[in-house]
Amino acid sequence: MKNILFFVAALMLYTAANSQNSLTGTIISKNSNEPLLATVYIPQLEKGTTSDFDGNYIVNNIPEGNYNVVYSALGYATVSKKILFTKGKTITKAIQLEESAVEMEEVIISTPFHKLQSENVMKVERVSTESLNASGAVTLAEGIKNIAGVDVISTGVGIGKPVIRGLSSNRVLTYTQGVRLENQQFGDEHGLGINEAGIESVEVIKGPASLLYGSDALGGVLYLNPERFARSGETHGDLNSTYFSNTLGTSTNLGVKTSGEKLSFLARGSYSSFSDYKTGADYRVTNSRFNEKDFKTGLQYLGSKFKSTVRYNYNRSNIGIPEEIGEQTQSKDLELPFQEVDNHIVSLDNTIFFNNSSLDVKAGYLFNDRREFEDDQSTAALRLKLSTFNYDVKYHLPELGNFETIVGLQGMFQNNKNEGEEILIPDAKTTDIGVFATTHFHLDQIDIQAGIRFDSRKIDSEAARNPLEEDFIPALDKNFNSFAAALGAKINLFEKISARLNLASGFRAPNLAELTSNGVHEGTNRFERGNHNLNSEQNFQTDLAIEYRNEHIEIFANGFYNAVNDYIFISPTDEVIDDTPVYDYLQDNASLYGGEFGFHLHPHPLDWLHFESSFETVTGKLKNDNYLPLIPANSLRNTFRVEFQDGKSRKSSSVFITLKNTLDQKNTGDFETRTGGYSLLSAGIESSFKLNNVMLKLAVNGTNLTDKEYVSHLSRFKPDGILDIGRSVNIKLKVEI
């Protein structure tokens, strides 16, 4: 028996050793034949390296399989190669990169086939959080406003909810750590609950993504990519700290990560604290202060046939709730009323690699504990506990000719529990299950992607309050079933011109607030009355994108038309209960249309010069021609940017100046008023220095430099006449070893 066990163990070790493959080669400039410092990355394995000064590279310990390998360098067009690794071989690839006006492309993770944006059938916006921070954003939610077609519904600077092409709340789904984020996002005054520290990049799908993500992705998806692990054999640490003059705020985070051949580990902690923000009218908005603690960690194992990643994120947010302009103070201590919110996210991502296929199994557990203190700091008047378990299983079938196909199963088990005096929504359980299939067909000049999906959602809520009282909430037992489908194509019309046409349907089951509300919502000063007869929203969107790009310029035009059947909205009535106006949840058909247009100029040989311009517009109407509420105003953004790669002790430098013109918003909903236009000027400068093994980055930027007095159409403070944030000068220091 011992001999047999020894033989089996030896065979397993031999197989593991011989099933590992290597990739080697050189990377040069196609224009000059000079070697390049470039990055080589395999997204499915989260594994990569950097070429040396002679352009040579090597990646070891690659499991058997068929993977996209991405080659990228600053100032050059990114190249993606599909490479099959088998039988423990060393594969040699010599790569030539061509100069381009487009920034380094990354693989899009939020779409299933993990293509570069230039290869993707669906147009997806991707931006690094480093770029968002460079713009002077206080929070992640504020930062995503810089993405064309994206805005936020804000409650001061502490709370922001994403708006994608005019749709928000439960119509926009957020993903983090590869799992769907559930944190009572139905509420206007509920933010993301995610800190930007430890988030590497943001991807935005603008339009129905129900095929990939199910209910609540009717309007789009905000996909947050966590930071990568260190490259094999490397250990890094960094310290980041930013000071914001307007709020006298500081945000500091510290991270460390290390990787061996198979095991990788990272951890990052952050703390932020802000006082009341100052408006352009030189007054501070009382109790708009907030603070946040955040901790993220992750562990990854990569074997010959298996990759497993576990991540954990804890976030504690303490957010003041402004009610009126009162005492002017620079204190950071919270006053009543305020929110205290805990978010726990645990995710497990497993991939099993077969020779020509793979199986992805993701699972996530999320716990959201939301407390609101009104009259007493020791007892929460409102407390909601939301626990969610979700899962996502995808099987990537073996490629059949030019076809890549994925079949999947997704679902969610959710429990909502009240533990405070006030009740916004009742105790309830929600169960989701969905099955889908999608395929990608690739030819030289055209890529086609199609898919179909079926979902079922069951909502079972308990009765709440006294049955004899007017605010009684009866028990609810509802089922919602929906189909979704998508068909898209990317066509290379000419050598430099490509077009994307996507047709997609989506759906959203009504949330608990819309179905069961029956009482005063203190955060909105409304008596909200739900409607248990609401149907699921169903939409169909046509999206057309045309793009021209060469080594000097990129021009794009994206247009969409989104028809939403049974659109759910809240409408004022003539009733008053408890001295509070009553609003009912109603349904009607609606439509939204608009788009984003712009260009990026990067003239050669002035490689250090960039000029970017974009215009975005969206209009939303009900069937009766009344305008939808909470639709962003049209805006134009122009950015002039200069970048230098210096090469010696000063590695890089950049300067930017941005002018954003927001136009009048005259197309208002029933309980909205017109919002005047305004222009905001921002600018910044940053430099990176290499001192031995230490990288030092110093950045200074300013937002609203003219100290403009303005109010955003999507500000929840607008009805009270409270202005948005005024001038802020921000200083950032980053040390990395």
Side-chain angles (χ1 to χ4, degrees), residues 68-72 76-81 97-98 100-109 111 113-126 203 440-449 489-502 545-550 554-556:
N68 286 319
V69 181
V70 178
Y71 300 86
S72 58
Y76 291 82
T78 301
V79 170
S80 177
K81 296 284 187 182
L97 299 184
E98 192 171 0
S100 172
V102 182
E103 301 297 314
M104 286 193 302
E105 284 190 277
E106 297 281 356
V107 168
I108 300 300
I109 304 300
T111 54
F113 297 102
H114 292 183
K115 304 286 186 183
L116 293 176
Q117 180 55 65
S118 58
E119 304 169 337
N120 222 31
V121 170
M122 184 183 298
K123 175 74 171 177
V124 179
E125 301 289 349
R126 186 187 188 279
E203 295 177 13
H440 183 105
F441 179 66
H442 172 72
L443 292 174
D444 288 340
Q445 300 301 320
I446 185 170
D447 288 86
I448 298 173
Q449 190 170 309
K490 177 185 178 292
I491 307 170
N492 295 324
L493 298 174
F494 303 100
E495 183 182 359
K496 303 294 184 182
I497 300 177
S498 62
R500 292 180 176 89
L501 176 63
N502 283 276
I546 298 176
E547 186 175 272
Y548 170 84
R549 61 163 66 176
N550 62 21
E554 177 186 16
I555 303 173
F556 67 89

Side-chain angles (χ1 to χ4, degrees), residues 305-595:
K305 291 287 186 181
F306 183 70
K307 184 186 77 171
S308 182
T309 307
V310 61
R311 292 181 186 263
Y312 170 70
N313 180 201
Y314 167 70
N315 183 277
R316 159 69 66 87
S317 299
N318 296 303
I319 307 170
I321 302 176
E323 294 184 316
E324 60 183 8
I325 303 301
E327 181 184 358
Q328 297 293 286
T329 174
Q330 298 179 358
S331 172
K332 297 179 181 179
D333 297 328
L334 292 177
E335 296 181 355
L336 293 170
F338 67 89
Q339 295 183 54
E340 187 175 73
V341 186
D342 286 342
N343 241 9
H344 299 265
I345 305 171
V346 182
S347 63
L348 179 63
D349 184 356
N350 297 311
T351 303
I352 302 172
F353 301 106
F354 307 107
N355 287 342
N356 296 305
S357 62
S358 64
L359 177 67
D360 296 332
V361 180
K362 294 180 182 178
Y365 175 76
L366 299 90
F367 180 69
N368 179 260
D369 187 359
R370 181 175 301 275
R371 304 172 294 279
E372 187 170 305
F373 299 86
E374 296 179 357
D375 303 314
D376 184 355
Q377 293 196 20
S378 61
T379 304
L382 173 72
R383 186 169 191 177
L384 288 171
K385 290 185 175 182
L386 184 70
S387 58
T388 306
F389 171 77
N390 50 48
Y391 58 90
D392 184 349
V393 181
K394 293 189 182 79
Y395 178 57
H396 298 243
L397 278 68
E399 293 185 22
L400 183 61
N402 292 322
F403 283 94
E404 294 181 67
T405 302
I406 297 173
V407 294
L409 172 71
Q410 292 175 338
M412 178 179 75
F413 303 98
Q414 188 173 84
N415 184 44
N416 185 78
K417 187 75 174 175
N418 284 277
E419 289 192 0
E421 281 186 27
E422 295 181 11
I423 296 177
L424 292 181
I425 54 176
D427 295 352
K429 294 181 179 179
T430 302
T431 305
D432 276 4
I433 187 169
V435 292
F436 71 94
T438 181
T439 189
H440 183 105
F441 179 66
H442 172 72
L443 292 174
D444 288 340
Q445 300 301 320
I446 185 170
D447 288 86
I448 298 173
Q449 190 170 309
I452 190 168
R453 179 185 180 111
F454 173 77
D455 277 83
S456 178
R457 169 170 286 189
K458 178 178 173 59
I459 300 177
D460 185 8
S461 73
E462 300 178 10
R465 303 194 183 106
N466 189 335
L468 302 178
E469 298 294 333
E470 192 171 25
D471 61 357
F472 173 67
I473 301 175
L476 182 73
D477 186 358
K478 298 280 288 186
N479 289 279
F480 301 94
N481 301 315
S482 298
F483 281 96
L487 175 64
K490 177 185 178 292
I491 307 170
N492 295 324
L493 298 174
F494 303 100
E495 183 182 359
K496 303 294 184 182
I497 300 177
S498 62
R500 292 180 176 89
L501 176 63
N502 283 276
L503 310 173
S505 63
F507 66 93
R508 181 183 76 91
N511 61 47
L512 274 173
E514 295 162 341
L515 290 167
T516 64
S517 290
N518 192 27
V520 177
H521 192 318
E522 301 292 348
T524 59
N525 196 31
R526 297 193 297 248
F527 189 106
E528 297 185 1
R529 194 158 52 193
N531 181 353
H532 67 274
N533 292 317
L534 294 174
N535 299 315
S536 290
E537 294 179 338
Q538 300 277 346
N539 78 324
F540 184 83
Q541 178 168 305
T542 302
D543 196 297
L544 177 63
I546 298 176
E547 186 175 272
Y548 170 84
R549 61 163 66 176
N550 62 21
E551 65 270 24
H552 308 299
I553 191 169
E554 177 186 16
I555 303 173
F556 67 89
N558 307 327
F560 73 94
Y561 184 86
N562 189 3
V564 186
N565 291 331
D566 291 323
Y567 182 91
I568 300 171
F569 60 98
I570 195 166
S571 180
T573 69
D574 294 329
E575 298 180 60
V576 175
I577 298 178
D578 294 335
D579 298 322
T580 307
V582 177
Y583 286 69
D584 286 342
Y585 281 99
L586 305 175
Q587 284 188 301
D588 199 355
N589 294 342
S591 60
L592 298 98
Y593 50 90

Side-chain angles (χ1 to χ4, degrees), residues 75-90:
Y76 291 82
T78 301
V79 170
S80 177
K81 296 284 187 182
K82 194 86 168 181
I83 302 177
L84 178 64
F85 297 91
T86 58
K87 301 178 181 178
K89 292 182 178 179
T90 296

Side-chain angles (χ1 to χ4, degrees), residues 31-53:
N31 306 78
S32 65
N33 288 325
E34 294 292 326
L36 292 176
L37 284 170
T39 298
V40 183
Y41 189 65
I42 308 175
Q44 288 168 278
L45 305 179
E46 300 181 62
K47 188 179 184 69
T49 189
T50 302
S51 61
D52 61 23
F53 286 103

Side-chain angles (χ1 to χ4, degrees), residues 139-146 149-156 159-164 168 192 222 630 632 660 712-716 724:
T139 63
L140 178 62
E142 281 291 306
I144 64 175
K145 292 171 61 176
N146 296 314
V150 182
D151 212 315
V152 295
I153 298 172
S154 63
T155 306
I159 298 176
K161 297 184 66 66
V163 180
I164 299 178
S168 59
L192 284 175
L222 183 69
L630 299 176
K660 182 178 180 182
S712 166
H713 186 68
L714 299 186
S715 170
R716 293 186 62 249
D724 281 42

